[in-house]
Amino acid sequence: MEDLKLWFHRSCSSNQLKEVTREWLQLFALNQKSVLYALLLFSCLAWAVFKIARRVNHKGPDRARSPDLEKPSTLKASERLPGVWVPSDFRRPPAAPYPDWSIKDTKPLPYRPFRYGPRYNINMGLRQMEWDEWIEVDNHYPRFHQDKAWRIEERGPKCCRTAPEAYDAAVELLEELCSYLPQRYPSMFRATDVGMDNLLTRESFNIIERPLKEDPMQMAARTIQDDLAIMIEKPDGQYYLLAGAILLAGFWRLSDKWGMPLSEIHTSGDVPQFREKLEKGMMNFFRRVKPENPVLRNNYFIQVDDELAWSSSIGSEDEEGIGWFTAEKNKAVQHHYFRSERQSLRRLPRSGGVVFTIRTYFHPMTDICQELYVPGRLASAIRSWGDDVSKYKGKERYGEVLLEYLDKKHEEQVAAGLDLSKEDEVRQYPY
Protein backbone atom coordinates (compact mmCIF):
# COMPACT_ATOMS: atom_id res chain seq x y z
CA MET A 1 0.00 0.00 0.00
CA GLU A 2 2.89 2.39 0.72
CA ASP A 3 4.17 1.84 -2.83
CA LEU A 4 0.73 2.68 -4.27
CA LYS A 5 0.54 5.90 -2.25
CA LEU A 6 3.98 6.85 -3.56
CA TRP A 7 2.79 6.29 -7.16
CA PHE A 8 -0.20 8.61 -6.77
CA HIS A 9 1.96 11.45 -5.45
CA ARG A 10 4.44 11.36 -8.28
CA SER A 11 4.07 13.46 -11.42
CA CYS A 12 3.71 11.63 -14.70
CA SER A 13 6.72 12.82 -16.73
CA SER A 14 8.02 10.24 -19.19
CA ASN A 15 11.15 9.47 -17.15
CA GLN A 16 9.19 9.20 -13.99
CA LEU A 17 6.60 7.03 -15.77
CA LYS A 18 9.33 4.60 -16.83
CA GLU A 19 10.60 4.51 -13.26
CA VAL A 20 7.12 3.86 -11.92
CA THR A 21 6.56 1.11 -14.48
CA ARG A 22 9.77 -0.57 -13.42
CA GLU A 23 8.76 -0.35 -9.79
CA TRP A 24 5.35 -1.91 -10.61
CA LEU A 25 7.00 -4.79 -12.47
CA GLN A 26 9.28 -5.37 -9.51
CA LEU A 27 6.28 -5.27 -7.18
CA PHE A 28 4.33 -7.85 -9.23
CA ALA A 29 7.41 -10.01 -9.53
CA LEU A 30 7.43 -10.23 -5.77
CA ASN A 31 3.75 -11.21 -5.70
CA GLN A 32 2.79 -13.53 -8.58
CA LYS A 33 -0.69 -14.06 -7.14
CA SER A 34 -1.46 -10.42 -7.85
CA VAL A 35 -0.78 -11.01 -11.56
CA LEU A 36 -3.09 -14.00 -11.66
CA TYR A 37 -5.85 -12.14 -9.86
CA ALA A 38 -5.49 -9.18 -12.22
CA LEU A 39 -5.72 -11.40 -15.30
CA LEU A 40 -8.79 -13.15 -13.88
CA LEU A 41 -10.46 -9.85 -13.13
CA PHE A 42 -9.71 -8.54 -16.63
CA SER A 43 -11.16 -11.69 -18.23
CA CYS A 44 -14.38 -11.42 -16.21
CA LEU A 45 -14.80 -7.77 -17.13
CA ALA A 46 -14.20 -8.50 -20.83
CA TRP A 47 -16.80 -11.31 -20.81
CA ALA A 48 -19.37 -9.09 -19.07
CA VAL A 49 -18.85 -6.27 -21.59
CA PHE A 50 -19.24 -8.75 -24.48
CA LYS A 51 -22.56 -10.15 -23.13
CA ILE A 52 -23.97 -6.68 -22.48
CA ALA A 53 -23.02 -5.53 -25.98
CA ARG A 54 -24.75 -8.54 -27.54
CA ARG A 55 -27.93 -7.86 -25.57
CA VAL A 56 -27.97 -4.17 -26.50
CA ASN A 57 -27.37 -4.85 -30.20
CA HIS A 58 -29.90 -7.73 -30.43
CA LYS A 59 -32.63 -6.79 -32.90
CA GLY A 60 -34.79 -9.89 -32.66
CA PRO A 61 -38.28 -10.15 -31.15
CA ASP A 62 -38.73 -9.04 -27.56
CA ARG A 63 -40.34 -12.33 -26.55
CA ALA A 64 -39.33 -15.92 -27.10
CA ARG A 65 -40.52 -17.77 -30.17
CA SER A 66 -43.06 -20.54 -29.94
CA PRO A 67 -41.62 -24.04 -29.84
CA ASP A 68 -40.84 -25.59 -33.23
CA LEU A 69 -42.24 -29.10 -33.15
CA GLU A 70 -39.82 -30.20 -35.85
CA LYS A 71 -36.93 -29.59 -33.41
CA PRO A 72 -36.27 -30.85 -29.89
CA SER A 73 -38.28 -28.80 -27.40
CA THR A 74 -36.45 -26.40 -25.12
CA LEU A 75 -39.20 -26.76 -22.52
CA LYS A 76 -38.21 -29.09 -19.71
CA ALA A 77 -40.46 -32.05 -19.09
CA SER A 78 -42.31 -32.03 -15.81
CA GLU A 79 -41.27 -34.52 -13.16
CA ARG A 80 -44.91 -35.25 -12.27
CA LEU A 81 -46.40 -38.67 -12.86
CA PRO A 82 -48.48 -39.09 -16.05
CA GLY A 83 -52.12 -38.35 -15.37
CA VAL A 84 -51.33 -36.48 -12.15
CA TRP A 85 -51.61 -32.70 -12.22
CA VAL A 86 -50.63 -30.41 -9.36
CA PRO A 87 -52.66 -27.17 -9.63
CA SER A 88 -50.60 -24.21 -10.78
CA ASP A 89 -50.60 -20.77 -9.16
CA PHE A 90 -50.61 -19.12 -12.60
CA ARG A 91 -53.45 -16.74 -13.38
CA ARG A 92 -54.20 -15.32 -16.80
CA PRO A 93 -53.32 -11.60 -16.95
CA PRO A 94 -56.40 -9.33 -17.15
CA ALA A 95 -57.35 -8.63 -20.76
CA ALA A 96 -57.32 -5.09 -22.11
CA PRO A 97 -60.51 -3.99 -23.90
CA TYR A 98 -60.40 -4.55 -27.66
CA PRO A 99 -59.66 -1.13 -29.21
CA ASP A 100 -62.73 0.48 -30.83
CA TRP A 101 -64.59 -2.85 -30.88
CA SER A 102 -68.13 -2.86 -32.31
CA ILE A 103 -70.55 -5.71 -32.97
CA LYS A 104 -71.57 -3.79 -36.08
CA ASP A 105 -68.25 -2.64 -37.54
CA THR A 106 -65.51 -5.00 -36.32
CA LYS A 107 -64.90 -7.41 -39.18
CA PRO A 108 -63.28 -10.86 -38.98
CA LEU A 109 -59.50 -10.72 -39.20
CA PRO A 110 -58.36 -11.63 -42.74
CA TYR A 111 -56.46 -14.84 -42.05
CA ARG A 112 -54.98 -16.24 -45.28
CA PRO A 113 -52.64 -18.92 -43.87
CA PHE A 114 -51.14 -20.29 -47.07
CA ARG A 115 -47.67 -19.86 -48.51
CA TYR A 116 -46.10 -19.89 -51.95
CA GLY A 117 -44.86 -23.19 -53.31
CA PRO A 118 -43.10 -25.15 -54.59
CA ARG A 119 -42.67 -26.72 -51.13
CA TYR A 120 -45.54 -27.51 -48.76
CA ASN A 121 -44.24 -27.88 -45.22
CA ILE A 122 -46.07 -30.30 -42.94
CA ASN A 123 -45.85 -29.06 -39.37
CA MET A 124 -48.12 -27.70 -36.67
CA GLY A 125 -47.10 -24.12 -37.36
CA LEU A 126 -47.35 -22.97 -33.76
CA ARG A 127 -46.70 -19.39 -32.72
CA GLN A 128 -46.93 -17.68 -29.35
CA MET A 129 -50.28 -16.20 -28.30
CA GLU A 130 -50.75 -12.87 -26.57
CA TRP A 131 -53.21 -13.30 -23.71
CA ASP A 132 -55.38 -10.37 -24.79
CA GLU A 133 -56.03 -12.17 -28.09
CA TRP A 134 -57.30 -15.49 -26.71
CA ILE A 135 -60.85 -15.20 -28.13
CA GLU A 136 -61.83 -13.19 -31.21
CA VAL A 137 -65.37 -11.80 -31.49
CA ASP A 138 -66.52 -9.86 -34.54
CA ASN A 139 -69.60 -8.82 -36.51
CA HIS A 140 -70.18 -12.41 -37.69
CA TYR A 141 -71.13 -13.29 -34.11
CA PRO A 142 -74.93 -13.19 -34.66
CA ARG A 143 -74.81 -15.81 -37.41
CA PHE A 144 -72.48 -18.08 -35.44
CA HIS A 145 -74.59 -17.75 -32.31
CA GLN A 146 -77.78 -18.52 -34.20
CA ASP A 147 -76.26 -21.54 -35.93
CA LYS A 148 -74.95 -22.87 -32.63
CA ALA A 149 -78.33 -22.42 -30.94
CA TRP A 150 -80.21 -24.50 -33.49
CA ARG A 151 -77.45 -27.09 -33.59
CA ILE A 152 -77.69 -27.48 -29.81
CA GLU A 153 -81.46 -27.77 -30.04
CA GLU A 154 -81.38 -30.33 -32.85
CA ARG A 155 -78.28 -32.36 -32.06
CA GLY A 156 -77.35 -31.49 -28.45
CA PRO A 157 -75.43 -34.48 -27.01
CA LYS A 158 -74.08 -35.44 -30.44
CA CYS A 159 -72.15 -32.18 -30.52
CA CYS A 160 -71.58 -31.24 -26.86
CA ARG A 161 -70.41 -33.66 -24.22
CA THR A 162 -68.30 -33.81 -21.04
CA ALA A 163 -66.90 -37.00 -19.52
CA PRO A 164 -66.90 -37.19 -15.69
CA GLU A 165 -63.10 -37.05 -15.50
CA ALA A 166 -63.12 -33.83 -17.58
CA TYR A 167 -65.94 -32.06 -15.73
CA ASP A 168 -63.69 -29.90 -13.54
CA ALA A 169 -61.70 -28.82 -16.61
CA ALA A 170 -64.93 -27.90 -18.46
CA VAL A 171 -66.13 -25.82 -15.50
CA GLU A 172 -62.72 -24.15 -15.29
CA LEU A 173 -62.94 -23.26 -18.98
CA LEU A 174 -66.39 -21.79 -18.42
CA GLU A 175 -65.04 -19.73 -15.51
CA GLU A 176 -62.16 -18.49 -17.66
CA LEU A 177 -64.55 -17.34 -20.40
CA CYS A 178 -66.80 -15.54 -17.92
CA SER A 179 -63.73 -13.71 -16.63
CA TYR A 180 -62.10 -12.92 -19.98
CA LEU A 181 -65.04 -11.85 -22.15
CA PRO A 182 -66.27 -8.92 -19.99
CA GLN A 183 -62.69 -7.66 -19.81
CA ARG A 184 -62.03 -7.88 -23.55
CA TYR A 185 -65.50 -6.96 -24.88
CA PRO A 186 -67.14 -4.86 -22.14
CA SER A 187 -69.79 -3.44 -24.46
CA MET A 188 -71.14 -6.93 -25.11
CA PHE A 189 -70.47 -8.94 -21.94
CA ARG A 190 -70.99 -7.96 -18.30
CA ALA A 191 -69.60 -9.82 -15.28
CA THR A 192 -72.12 -10.72 -12.59
CA ASP A 193 -71.94 -12.20 -9.09
CA VAL A 194 -72.86 -15.61 -10.50
CA GLY A 195 -71.16 -15.50 -13.90
CA MET A 196 -71.83 -13.30 -16.90
CA ASP A 197 -74.54 -11.61 -19.00
CA ASN A 198 -74.50 -11.38 -22.78
CA LEU A 199 -75.85 -7.89 -23.47
CA LEU A 200 -76.44 -8.62 -27.16
CA THR A 201 -78.43 -11.85 -26.85
CA ARG A 202 -79.75 -11.07 -23.31
CA GLU A 203 -78.60 -14.44 -22.03
CA SER A 204 -77.46 -14.86 -18.44
CA PHE A 205 -74.94 -17.52 -17.48
CA ASN A 206 -75.00 -18.78 -13.90
CA ILE A 207 -71.85 -20.82 -13.41
CA ILE A 208 -72.11 -20.99 -9.62
CA GLU A 209 -75.26 -23.04 -9.15
CA ARG A 210 -75.08 -26.82 -8.94
CA PRO A 211 -76.10 -28.63 -10.90
CA LEU A 212 -75.51 -26.39 -13.88
CA LYS A 213 -78.52 -25.87 -16.15
CA GLU A 214 -76.70 -27.62 -19.01
CA ASP A 215 -73.45 -29.32 -19.90
CA PRO A 216 -70.59 -26.89 -19.13
CA MET A 217 -69.10 -27.29 -22.62
CA GLN A 218 -72.46 -26.55 -24.18
CA MET A 219 -72.85 -23.47 -22.00
CA ALA A 220 -69.34 -22.31 -22.91
CA ALA A 221 -70.08 -22.80 -26.62
CA ARG A 222 -73.03 -20.41 -26.42
CA THR A 223 -70.76 -17.54 -25.36
CA ILE A 224 -68.29 -17.43 -28.27
CA GLN A 225 -67.93 -18.19 -31.98
CA ASP A 226 -65.34 -20.93 -31.44
CA ASP A 227 -65.80 -24.65 -31.15
CA LEU A 228 -64.13 -26.12 -28.05
CA ALA A 229 -62.28 -29.29 -27.10
CA ILE A 230 -60.45 -30.40 -23.94
CA MET A 231 -57.79 -33.09 -23.85
CA ILE A 232 -57.20 -34.87 -20.53
CA GLU A 233 -54.03 -36.80 -19.69
CA LYS A 234 -54.50 -40.32 -18.32
CA PRO A 235 -52.00 -42.44 -16.37
CA ASP A 236 -50.71 -43.94 -19.63
CA GLY A 237 -49.38 -40.51 -20.58
CA GLN A 238 -51.78 -40.14 -23.51
CA TYR A 239 -54.12 -37.17 -23.95
CA TYR A 240 -57.77 -38.07 -24.61
CA LEU A 241 -60.63 -36.03 -26.05
CA LEU A 242 -63.03 -36.10 -23.08
CA ALA A 243 -64.88 -32.78 -23.38
CA GLY A 244 -66.07 -31.03 -26.50
CA ALA A 245 -68.51 -28.61 -28.10
CA ILE A 246 -68.05 -29.26 -31.81
CA LEU A 247 -70.92 -27.45 -33.47
CA LEU A 248 -69.48 -25.76 -36.57
CA ALA A 249 -66.68 -28.08 -37.65
CA GLY A 250 -67.81 -28.56 -41.25
CA PHE A 251 -66.07 -31.87 -41.93
CA TRP A 252 -65.86 -33.89 -38.71
CA ARG A 253 -68.12 -34.99 -35.86
CA LEU A 254 -67.44 -35.18 -32.14
CA SER A 255 -68.80 -38.72 -32.06
CA ASP A 256 -66.11 -39.81 -34.54
CA LYS A 257 -63.27 -38.71 -32.22
CA TRP A 258 -64.82 -39.00 -28.76
CA GLY A 259 -62.62 -40.67 -26.17
CA MET A 260 -59.72 -41.12 -28.59
CA PRO A 261 -56.10 -40.39 -27.67
CA LEU A 262 -54.38 -37.57 -29.52
CA SER A 263 -52.53 -39.81 -31.96
CA GLU A 264 -55.61 -41.80 -32.95
CA ILE A 265 -57.58 -38.61 -33.56
CA HIS A 266 -55.07 -37.70 -36.25
CA THR A 267 -54.48 -41.13 -37.75
CA SER A 268 -58.21 -41.87 -37.95
CA GLY A 269 -58.57 -38.63 -39.90
CA ASP A 270 -55.74 -39.58 -42.28
CA VAL A 271 -53.71 -36.47 -41.45
CA PRO A 272 -50.83 -36.55 -43.97
CA GLN A 273 -47.46 -37.76 -42.63
CA PHE A 274 -48.63 -37.59 -39.02
CA ARG A 275 -46.55 -40.58 -37.91
CA GLU A 276 -43.43 -39.45 -39.74
CA LYS A 277 -43.39 -35.72 -39.03
CA LEU A 278 -45.85 -34.74 -36.32
CA GLU A 279 -46.56 -37.43 -33.74
CA LYS A 280 -43.38 -37.42 -31.65
CA GLY A 281 -43.07 -33.66 -31.46
CA MET A 282 -46.77 -33.20 -30.77
CA MET A 283 -46.77 -35.68 -27.90
CA ASN A 284 -43.70 -34.05 -26.37
CA PHE A 285 -45.27 -30.64 -26.70
CA PHE A 286 -48.47 -31.71 -24.94
CA ARG A 287 -46.51 -33.12 -22.02
CA ARG A 288 -44.49 -29.94 -21.62
CA VAL A 289 -47.00 -27.17 -22.35
CA LYS A 290 -47.42 -24.90 -19.32
CA PRO A 291 -50.40 -22.74 -18.31
CA GLU A 292 -48.36 -19.60 -18.97
CA ASN A 293 -47.37 -20.57 -22.54
CA PRO A 294 -50.44 -20.50 -24.85
CA VAL A 295 -49.96 -20.92 -28.59
CA LEU A 296 -51.85 -20.35 -31.84
CA ARG A 297 -51.99 -22.05 -35.20
CA ASN A 298 -53.99 -21.63 -38.42
CA ASN A 299 -55.09 -23.96 -41.17
CA TYR A 300 -57.27 -23.75 -44.28
CA PHE A 301 -59.56 -25.83 -46.47
CA ILE A 302 -61.68 -25.39 -49.56
CA GLN A 303 -65.40 -26.12 -49.28
CA VAL A 304 -67.85 -26.38 -52.18
CA ASP A 305 -71.03 -25.26 -50.44
CA ASP A 306 -72.04 -22.35 -48.22
CA GLU A 307 -72.94 -24.28 -45.06
CA LEU A 308 -70.89 -23.29 -42.05
CA ALA A 309 -71.93 -26.01 -39.60
CA TRP A 310 -71.71 -29.10 -41.79
CA SER A 311 -70.53 -29.31 -45.40
CA SER A 312 -73.41 -31.21 -46.99
CA SER A 313 -71.46 -31.45 -50.26
CA ILE A 314 -69.62 -34.48 -48.81
CA GLY A 315 -72.83 -36.14 -47.59
CA SER A 316 -75.26 -36.18 -44.69
CA GLU A 317 -73.90 -35.61 -41.19
CA ASP A 318 -75.58 -38.80 -40.04
CA GLU A 319 -74.19 -41.02 -42.81
CA GLU A 320 -71.20 -43.32 -42.48
CA GLY A 321 -68.49 -43.70 -45.09
CA ILE A 322 -68.55 -40.14 -46.36
CA GLY A 323 -65.73 -37.85 -47.40
CA TRP A 324 -64.43 -35.84 -50.30
CA PHE A 325 -64.73 -38.89 -52.54
CA THR A 326 -68.54 -38.58 -52.28
CA ALA A 327 -68.64 -34.87 -53.20
CA GLU A 328 -69.84 -33.54 -56.54
CA LYS A 329 -66.91 -32.78 -58.83
CA ASN A 330 -66.01 -29.42 -60.40
CA LYS A 331 -68.87 -27.31 -59.14
CA ALA A 332 -68.82 -23.71 -60.40
CA VAL A 333 -66.48 -21.40 -58.53
CA GLN A 334 -69.47 -19.50 -57.12
CA HIS A 335 -69.96 -22.53 -54.86
CA HIS A 336 -66.35 -22.49 -53.61
CA TYR A 337 -65.72 -21.18 -50.11
CA PHE A 338 -62.49 -20.49 -48.28
CA ARG A 339 -62.62 -22.08 -44.82
CA SER A 340 -59.88 -21.21 -42.34
CA GLU A 341 -59.42 -22.08 -38.68
CA ARG A 342 -57.63 -20.16 -35.97
CA GLN A 343 -56.87 -22.56 -33.14
CA SER A 344 -55.58 -21.60 -29.70
CA LEU A 345 -54.08 -24.14 -27.32
CA ARG A 346 -53.55 -23.56 -23.59
CA ARG A 347 -53.32 -25.60 -20.42
CA LEU A 348 -55.81 -24.81 -17.67
CA PRO A 349 -53.91 -24.11 -14.43
CA ARG A 350 -56.26 -25.74 -11.91
CA SER A 351 -57.27 -28.93 -13.70
CA GLY A 352 -54.36 -29.35 -16.11
CA GLY A 353 -56.72 -29.95 -19.04
CA VAL A 354 -55.44 -28.77 -22.45
CA VAL A 355 -58.03 -26.61 -24.21
CA PHE A 356 -58.41 -26.08 -27.94
CA THR A 357 -60.50 -23.17 -29.18
CA ILE A 358 -61.33 -23.57 -32.87
CA ARG A 359 -62.59 -20.42 -34.58
CA THR A 360 -63.74 -20.81 -38.18
CA TYR A 361 -63.53 -18.03 -40.77
CA PHE A 362 -65.76 -18.67 -43.77
CA HIS A 363 -65.77 -16.55 -46.96
CA PRO A 364 -66.82 -16.95 -50.61
CA MET A 365 -63.77 -17.63 -52.75
CA THR A 366 -64.86 -14.89 -55.12
CA ASP A 367 -64.65 -12.39 -52.24
CA ILE A 368 -61.15 -13.17 -50.98
CA CYS A 369 -59.83 -13.19 -54.55
CA GLN A 370 -60.56 -9.47 -54.75
CA GLU A 371 -57.72 -9.00 -52.26
CA LEU A 372 -54.32 -8.15 -53.69
CA TYR A 373 -51.85 -11.05 -53.99
CA VAL A 374 -54.30 -13.67 -52.69
CA PRO A 375 -55.18 -15.44 -55.99
CA GLY A 376 -51.56 -15.93 -57.04
CA ARG A 377 -50.35 -17.06 -53.64
CA LEU A 378 -53.27 -19.45 -53.11
CA ALA A 379 -52.80 -20.99 -56.57
CA SER A 380 -49.12 -21.54 -55.82
CA ALA A 381 -49.95 -23.08 -52.44
CA ILE A 382 -52.50 -25.51 -53.91
CA ARG A 383 -50.03 -26.61 -56.60
CA SER A 384 -47.47 -27.32 -53.87
CA TRP A 385 -49.66 -29.97 -52.22
CA GLY A 386 -48.32 -33.48 -52.50
CA ASP A 387 -50.62 -36.37 -53.38
CA ASP A 388 -51.38 -37.12 -49.72
CA VAL A 389 -52.23 -33.50 -48.88
CA SER A 390 -54.29 -33.17 -52.07
CA LYS A 391 -56.33 -36.22 -51.11
CA TYR A 392 -56.79 -34.97 -47.54
CA LYS A 393 -58.01 -31.56 -48.74
CA GLY A 394 -60.17 -32.95 -51.58
CA LYS A 395 -58.32 -31.22 -54.42
CA GLU A 396 -59.46 -33.74 -57.03
CA ARG A 397 -63.07 -32.54 -56.56
CA TYR A 398 -62.51 -28.82 -57.18
CA GLY A 399 -58.90 -28.23 -58.24
CA GLU A 400 -59.44 -27.89 -61.98
CA VAL A 401 -62.12 -25.22 -61.70
CA LEU A 402 -60.52 -23.38 -58.80
CA LEU A 403 -57.00 -23.16 -60.25
CA GLU A 404 -58.32 -21.85 -63.55
CA TYR A 405 -60.18 -19.11 -61.67
CA LEU A 406 -57.24 -18.24 -59.41
CA ASP A 407 -54.86 -17.98 -62.37
CA LYS A 408 -57.29 -15.68 -64.18
CA LYS A 409 -57.71 -13.36 -61.19
CA HIS A 410 -53.94 -13.29 -60.62
CA GLU A 411 -53.32 -12.33 -64.26
CA GLU A 412 -55.89 -9.56 -63.95
CA GLN A 413 -54.13 -8.15 -60.90
CA VAL A 414 -50.71 -8.25 -62.58
CA ALA A 415 -52.11 -6.60 -65.71
CA ALA A 416 -53.53 -3.84 -63.49
CA GLY A 417 -50.03 -3.07 -62.20
CA LEU A 418 -49.62 -5.35 -59.17
CA ASP A 419 -46.02 -5.14 -57.92
CA LEU A 420 -45.15 -8.69 -56.82
CA SER A 421 -41.97 -7.52 -55.13
CA LYS A 422 -43.93 -5.53 -52.53
CA GLU A 423 -46.21 -8.25 -51.20
CA ASP A 424 -44.40 -8.48 -47.87
CA GLU A 425 -45.11 -4.80 -47.32
CA VAL A 426 -48.85 -5.40 -47.78
CA ARG A 427 -49.49 -8.74 -46.07
CA GLN A 428 -47.49 -11.34 -44.22
CA TYR A 429 -48.33 -14.80 -42.92
CA PRO A 430 -50.88 -15.67 -41.58
CA TYR A 431 -52.69 -12.81 -43.33
Side-chain angles (χ1 to χ4, degrees):
M1 290 299 297
E2 294 301 322
D3 292 307
L4 289 175
K5 290 180 181 178
L6 177 63
W7 185 85
F8 279 116
H9 286 88
R10 290 178 177 175
S11 62
C12 290
S13 66
S14 59
N15 290 333
Q16 290 172 331
L17 185 60
K18 291 179 182 178
E19 183 180 350
V20 169
T21 301
R22 186 170 58 254
E23 291 178 1
W24 269 94
L25 291 175
Q26 291 173 351
L27 178 63
F28 283 138
L30 295 173
N31 191 350
Q32 294 182 0
K33 287 185 178 181
S34 297
V35 176
L36 294 175
Y37 290 150
L39 290 174
L40 180 60
L41 177 61
F42 177 80
S43 299
C44 291
L45 289 173
W47 178 84
V49 170
F50 173 74
K51 296 295 287 185
I52 292 171
R54 285 194 63 183
R55 185 176 294 274
V56 170
N57 293 326
H58 178 60
K59 294 181 169 44
D62 292 332
R63 54 186 174 83
R65 291 185 176 182
S66 300
D68 183 349
L69 295 187
E70 300 300 320
K71 298 178 181 179
S73 175
T74 58
L75 299 175
K76 293 184 179 180
S78 172
E79 295 180 358
R80 63 181 175 82
L81 295 174
V84 177
W85 175 255
V86 178
S88 167
D89 293 333
F90 174 79
R91 296 294 179 267
R92 174 188 56 80
Y98 193 110
D100 302 318
W101 186 87
S102 164
I103 190 60
K104 179 182 178 181
D105 299 322
T106 301
K107 298 179 180 180
L109 292 178
Y111 291 111
R112 308 292 180 255
F114 42 84
R115 304 180 189 273
Y116 284 104
R119 182 180 179 184
Y120 181 85
N121 293 315
I122 295 180
N123 54 52
M124 282 195 69
L126 297 181
R127 63 186 187 278
Q128 195 170 40
M129 184 188 85
E130 299 293 339
W131 280 109
D132 283 355
E133 301 170 359
W134 179 35
I135 302 295
E136 293 181 354
V137 178
D138 52 53
N139 62 6
H140 284 197
Y141 184 95
R143 177 193 174 175
F144 280 66
H145 185 271
Q146 183 179 6
D147 284 356
K148 283 188 170 188
W150 70 256
R151 294 276 288 172
I152 288 171
E153 183 177 352
E154 290 189 356
R155 303 187 67 84
K158 293 182 179 179
C159 298
C160 302
R161 194 184 309 177
T162 303
E165 56 266 57
Y167 194 86
D168 183 54
V171 170
E172 185 179 7
L173 170 60
L174 185 58
E175 293 169 355
E176 283 283 296
L177 288 169
C178 288
S179 169
Y180 170 88
L181 292 171
Q183 295 171 354
R184 187 63 169 165
Y185 305 101
S187 64
M188 182 168 167
F189 298 98
R190 179 176 59 204
T192 68
D193 291 340
V194 297
M196 179 181 72
D197 290 341
N198 185 324
L199 304 178
L200 176 69
T201 65
R202 299 187 177 181
E203 295 170 292
S204 293
F205 299 93
N206 185 331
I207 65 173
I208 302 297
E209 64 182 353
R210 294 293 184 272
L212 292 172
K213 282 188 169 63
E214 59 183 334
D215 181 279
M217 294 299 288
Q218 185 167 291
M219 187 181 292
R222 293 184 188 274
T223 67
I224 57 178
Q225 292 165 257
D226 307 55
D227 280 347
L228 299 162
I230 301 181
M231 309 295 294
I232 300 294
E233 186 187 37
K234 290 189 176 184
D236 62 0
Q238 297 286 321
Y239 281 80
Y240 292 81
L241 176 57
L242 295 179
I246 307 300
L247 293 157
L248 307 175
F251 297 106
W252 68 281
R253 301 165 289 204
L254 180 61
S255 58
D256 293 336
K257 311 293 184 183
W258 180 254
M260 285 185 179
L262 186 64
S263 293
E264 188 178 354
I265 288 173
H266 290 82
T267 55
S268 65
D270 298 321
V271 174
Q273 301 180 46
F274 175 76
R275 294 289 192 195
E276 301 90 334
K277 292 191 174 183
L278 295 174
E279 183 176 28
K280 182 178 179 180
M282 186 181 295
M283 294 303 298
N284 288 336
F285 177 77
F286 264 73
R287 293 189 187 103
R288 290 172 168 84
V289 64
K290 299 178 181 179
E292 58 268 32
N293 297 131
V295 295
L296 293 171
R297 67 179 301 269
N298 293 78
N299 61 26
Y300 69 97
F301 300 91
I302 310 301
Q303 187 171 320
V304 290
D305 59 65
D306 63 353
E307 298 173 50
L308 172 64
W310 176 260
S311 178
S312 63
S313 60
I314 67 171
S316 168
E317 190 172 1
D318 293 313
E319 290 182 40
E320 298 297 328
I322 57 174
W324 272 111
F325 55 88
T326 61
E328 181 181 343
K329 187 175 181 178
N330 286 335
K331 294 177 73 173
V333 74
Q334 288 74 22
H335 297 286
H336 293 200
Y337 278 70
F338 180 75
R339 186 181 188 106
S340 175
E341 292 178 348
R342 173 194 182 265
Q343 300 176 359
S344 77
L345 184 153
R346 57 171 291 199
R347 189 186 290 278
L348 297 169
R350 185 178 74 225
S351 64
V354 178
V355 175
F356 281 93
T357 67
I358 309 163
R359 169 63 200 280
T360 297
Y361 297 80
F362 195 57
H363 305 282
M365 185 64 68
T366 51
D367 283 0
I368 73 163
C369 284
Q370 302 304 313
E371 301 170 9
L372 296 179
Y373 301 102
V374 165
R377 178 153 55 97
L378 181 55
S380 178
I382 292 174
R383 288 189 169 100
S384 75
W385 298 349
D387 291 343
D388 51 356
V389 176
S390 295
K391 181 180 179 181
Y392 178 67
K393 291 181 179 283
K395 177 182 174 182
E396 191 266 340
R397 293 288 154 172
Y398 55 77
E400 183 179 337
V401 170
L402 180 57
L403 285 171
E404 180 181 354
Y405 176 77
L406 293 174
D407 289 343
K408 177 184 176 183
K409 301 307 291 184
H410 176 65
E411 291 169 4
E412 290 175 358
Q413 290 186 358
V414 172
L418 184 70
D419 188 343
L420 299 178
S421 67
K422 293 186 177 181
E423 179 171 358
D424 285 344
E425 299 175 15
V426 177
R427 59 194 320 139
Q428 294 182 349
Y429 187 91
Y431 301 102

